[in-house]
Amino acid sequence: MLVLITYDVNTETAAGRKRLRKVAKQCTNYGRRVQNSVFECILDNAQCVTLKAILVDIIDENVDSLRFYYLGNKYQTKVEHIGVDRGIAVDDTLIL
């Protein structure tokens, strides 16, 4: 299923900037960045639970926030993009 993950991490302190880098790195491991703090991730249920737990462990719930949008398997009809696209689509094949 396609999961859209957004986050807002307070970066007023060095610890906050470190949390921001950790959150972005974990999201990059599971999907692709589509905007500064927005990632599209194709996940199964187990991966979704794992990633959510990892991110919750990283953030400080008193000053940071995470949002998960579960768009499901038929997400193509739910996503419209206008303008410059960053990289390849999250569900495209990547040959190295």
Side-chain angles (χ1 to χ4, degrees):
M1 78 177 126
L2 179 66
V3 180
L4 188 71
I5 300 172
T6 67
Y7 54 87
D8 187 19
V9 177
N10 184 313
T11 57
E12 293 176 357
T13 65
R17 290 186 290 275
K18 186 175 181 180
R19 287 194 312 274
L20 177 67
R21 288 189 300 274
K22 286 183 176 183
V23 168
K25 181 170 174 42
Q26 288 302 318
C27 289
T28 301
N29 290 338
Y30 286 87
R32 76 172 184 136
R33 184 187 301 260
V34 292
Q35 292 189 357
N36 287 338
S37 297
V38 181
F39 281 80
E40 289 179 348
C41 304
I42 300 288
L43 306 170
D44 60 30
N45 287 336
Q47 290 171 319
C48 191
V49 170
T50 300
L51 179 56
K52 186 175 178 181
I54 290 169
L55 296 177
V56 168
D57 284 344
I58 294 171
I59 69 162
D60 178 346
E61 292 185 37
N62 295 314
V63 293
D64 305 333
S65 68
L66 290 168
R67 293 180 71 95
F68 296 84
Y69 297 89
Y70 304 99
L71 299 178
N73 292 322
K74 298 184 186 208
Y75 60 88
Q76 290 89 348
T77 61
K78 299 174 186 171
V79 177
E80 179 179 3
H81 178 88
I82 299 169
V84 177
D85 196 8
R86 291 187 176 187
I88 63 168
V90 70
D91 59 348
D92 276 354
T93 303
L94 180 62
I95 299 172
L96 300 173

